[in-house]
Every structure is written in C-alpha cells, then in structure tokens.
Amino acid sequence: MSGGLTAPGFWWRQSRSAAAWLLAPAGWLYGQIAGYRMQTRPRGRAKVPVICIGNFVTGGTGKTPFCLALAEQLAQEGRQPAFLLRGYGGRLSGPVRVDPSQHDSLAVGDEALLLAAHGPTVIAADRVAGAQLAQTLGDVIVMDDGFQNPALHKSVSLVLVDGTTGIGNGLCLPAGPLRAPLGLQLQQADALVVIGAGAASDPVQAAARCLARPVFRARLTPSPQPELAGRRVLAFAGIGRPEKAFETLRALGADIVEQRAFGDHHAYTEADARELLEAAERQGLMLMTTAKDMARLSGAASPALRELATQARVFEVEMRLEEPQALMRFLRPSLRDAGANVAG
C-alpha cells in the first residue's frame, strides 16, 4: 500500500474473517465506484504504444521488477522503452524526468529511482501529461501501475497476480485487497502474469482463461549471496509485503534473528534509523534490507539515516520471465499501436 500503511492480515485469508464481513458493505460501495471509474473513456492517448503493468490488489506483486525485465526484452527487440509512473512517496507531482543525481526518494519515490537507473523515467500525477514527456524519451512507454486509472489509453494491460496470495479474500478495499471487483478488472486486462508458485492464483487463472485472456508466468529470483549462509541478520523492509523479503533472505541461508516490517513506501525517520542501528549493534547482527528501502535511505541528510544507509546491505532480486518469447509474440501487435495526439 502507499502512504506507509500496512495491509491487515485478514485481507489475505481466503476464509473471510468477522472484520472482513463487517467491512464488506463499505468494500462493495468502494468497488462500485472504482469499477465505474475504470470504465470511463480515456481522455488522452500517447503517440507511442503504452504497456501498462498493473495488479488487481493493493500492495506489492513485483510490478517494478517486472517492468525492468520487460524493458530488457523490449530492448532486445530493438525498442527504446521509457518508464512512466505516479511516483508514490515523492513530493513532486511532475511531469518530470527523474535524474538520480538530482532527485531523491522524497522527491520522486523509491520505485522511480530504481527504474531511472535502467532507463529514461518520468513521474507524473497526471499520466496523460506524463505520457507527453515520456514519448519524447522512447518509442514505447512501460507504465508501472495505473491499471485502474482510466486517464491514459493503454495499448495493452498486463496484470500481475501473486501465486501464493492470489486476490486474498476476494473483497474490495477496505474489506479486502481488491482495488475494484475482480470480474470487471479481468474484462479490462489483456493478459495475466502469475508471479511465483502456489495455488492461490488458480481461481483467477481459471477466470482469465474463461475470458480468453492468456496467462504468462514469471518469478522473482534472489541473486546468489553465499556470504549470507548462517549469518545472523536484522532484516527490515518497508514494502508491500515485507514477509516476502524475509522469506527470500531465509532462502539465501540468512539466520534472521530479528525482523522489522514497515508500511509500503515508509519514510524512514532519524528515530527509526537509531533504533535499527542500536538493535543490530547490541546483538551483533548484520543489517539487511531491500533495494527499494535502500533507495529511500540513499542521499539522506540526517546522520543516523546516512549511517544506516552505509551499514545496511541490500539483497538483490530480479524478475525472470518463464517464456519471454511467448510474451513478446503476444505484445508485438500492441507495439504497433500508436495514437494521434495526446489530449491535454
């Protein structure tokens, strides 16, 4: 979730809890409003194809790593992808091209900095205005999130779903994690991408196939770090699902003695940094975090935050497409899609 909030655990239980039932009427109303908004006509169209990478639920499913993997495939096809995103967690509304040498996460958000390290990146609260700038930087726009936002015409929408959590309890915010009713979202999706193993996404896959939507697969793979085997670690993360990061660290052999989960896009404070540094020193633990968290810490002005950025180590993960050529065959017709002028 954005804004530093942590998703409640009952969202991800397929058996609906009392809290979910209590909030269900509010979720139904939210879903109706969000669904209606999704169906409104786009007010703008880019001059280049727009590939939207979205998800059905709030929180992290690996959209940013998937954007990077997709951009790599597009580059191999001779395309010049430019990234476009909202810039959650940043103060700038844009449109602005992200420059890692001038912007920090407080200005543009952590995801924008990660993308900008790999290609031209634009943040914009107004995605139509953002597309006007992004189309000058590449011949295809890869949009990180924005699936539920109808403002900009999308040439194709790839929607990610986590194999282990699926759509949780299947209810809309605030009763569950869905951003709009699943059936309506599936109608707007062009293809499904299942991230990782697990059976939780099976019902969504079946529904997608009933609508003749293709299903692709990808997985997040940690980069080997043999030095982590047996190391005693204090792990901290402020991402959509911090527990996934901790599971990855354990899979790399780390002994997580202590873990601290913060809300998605959490803005670390001086007090947070001091507490983490003191806890690690007191117990003789190595500090480990994610690339997104490090993007928020890098360039910090306060002493404790600078020290945390210096001492913490990042464990890297990358998205791997299981059948990249099949995905590219599916995308090629959409890559020929080009609009007239972008509406203001």
Side-chain angles (χ1 to χ4, degrees), residues 197-209:
S201 68
D202 288 355
V204 186
Q205 294 184 55
R209 290 189 174 103

Side-chain angles (χ1 to χ4, degrees), residues 9-24 169 171 175:
F10 71 82
W11 279 5
W12 305 108
R13 301 187 200 114
Q14 293 190 1
S15 57
R16 295 174 182 175
S17 67
W21 285 115
L22 183 66
L23 293 168
N169 63 18
L171 296 175

Side-chain angles (χ1 to χ4, degrees), residues 39-114:
Q39 296 177 83
T40 58
R41 185 177 178 179
R43 63 177 176 82
R45 185 180 181 109
K47 295 179 180 178
V48 300
V50 175
I51 303 176
C52 175
I53 310 304
N55 57 359
F56 298 122
V57 300
T58 189
T61 50
K63 292 188 299 296
T64 300
F66 187 88
C67 286
L68 291 172
L70 178 60
E72 184 177 341
Q73 290 297 317
L74 289 167
Q76 290 178 17
E77 298 249 326
R79 306 304 294 250
Q80 296 175 310
F83 300 111
L84 172 63
L85 70 166
R86 168 66 180 84
Y88 285 111
R91 65 176 181 272
L92 299 181
S93 60
V96 63
R97 180 174 181 175
V98 178
D99 182 346
S101 69
Q102 296 183 14
H103 297 129
D104 59 15
S105 66
L106 294 176
V108 298
D110 47 21
E111 291 150 344
L113 290 177
L114 294 177

Side-chain angles (χ1 to χ4, degrees), residues 23-334:
L23 293 168
W28 178 87
L29 180 60
Y30 180 95
Q32 296 302 302
I33 296 170
Y36 175 80
R37 180 171 179 263
M38 280 188 72
Q39 296 177 83
T40 58
R41 185 177 178 179
R43 63 177 176 82
R45 185 180 181 109
K47 295 179 180 178
V48 300
V50 175
I51 303 176
C52 175
I53 310 304
N55 57 359
F56 298 122
V57 300
T58 189
T61 50
K63 292 188 299 296
T64 300
F66 187 88
C67 286
L68 291 172
L70 178 60
E72 184 177 341
Q73 290 297 317
L74 289 167
Q76 290 178 17
E77 298 249 326
R79 306 304 294 250
Q80 296 175 310
F83 300 111
L84 172 63
L85 70 166
R86 168 66 180 84
Y88 285 111
R91 65 176 181 272
L92 299 181
S93 60
V96 63
R97 180 174 181 175
V98 178
D99 182 346
S101 69
Q102 296 183 14
H103 297 129
D104 59 15
S105 66
L106 294 176
V108 298
D110 47 21
E111 291 150 344
L113 290 177
L114 294 177
L115 292 172
H118 295 85
T121 300
V122 172
I123 62 157
D126 182 338
R127 287 180 174 85
V128 176
Q132 289 181 305
L133 175 56
Q135 68 189 8
T136 68
L137 304 173
D139 60 12
V140 56
I141 294 172
V142 177
M143 186 163 70
D144 185 341
D145 208 4
F147 172 59
Q148 290 80 14
N149 187 313
L152 179 65
H153 167 78
K154 305 165 183 75
S155 307
V156 62
S157 292
L158 305 178
V159 186
L160 277 50
V161 60
D162 191 292
T164 59
T165 57
I167 57 168
N169 63 18
L171 296 175
C172 292
L173 294 162
L178 281 175
R179 297 181 175 190
L182 177 64
L184 188 147
Q185 293 199 73
L186 276 170
Q187 291 174 17
Q188 301 288 327
D190 295 295
L192 192 71
V193 182
V194 178
I195 306 298
S201 68
D202 288 355
V204 186
Q205 294 184 55
R209 290 189 174 103
C210 285
L211 293 173
R213 303 297 193 266
V215 177
F216 301 98
R217 289 189 171 273
R219 65 187 186 278
L220 276 170
T221 304
S223 302
Q225 292 181 255
E227 68 277 12
L228 284 179
R231 289 295 300 266
R232 300 173 73 250
V233 164
L234 190 164
F236 65 98
I239 57 176
R241 290 182 56 215
E243 63 275 9
K244 285 187 68 175
F246 304 148
E247 290 167 8
T248 299
L249 261 178
R250 290 190 181 95
L252 288 169
D255 175 14
I256 300 182
V257 176
E258 191 170 342
Q259 62 189 44
R260 304 284 180 90
F262 298 90
D264 198 9
H265 302 285
H266 177 70
Y268 288 97
T269 66
E270 187 81 350
D272 291 333
R274 283 196 299 269
E275 185 179 351
L276 289 166
L277 289 165
E278 290 168 5
E281 184 177 6
R282 187 168 58 248
Q283 301 174 76
L285 306 178
M286 176 191 290
L287 286 157
M288 295 292 299
T289 194
T290 72
K292 280 182 66 174
D293 290 279
M294 185 57 75
R296 266 170 275 147
L297 294 172
S298 298
S302 60
L305 286 170
R306 285 203 307 271
E307 180 65 16
L308 181 60
T310 300
Q311 290 202 21
R313 296 184 59 184
V314 172
F315 61 97
E316 300 286 352
V317 295
E318 65 173 330
M319 187 71 72
R320 294 192 178 176
L321 310 178
E322 294 199 357
E323 295 182 325
Q325 294 309 313
L327 177 60
M328 294 311 299
R329 282 195 299 272
F330 171 74
L331 289 175
R332 281 181 193 123
S334 299

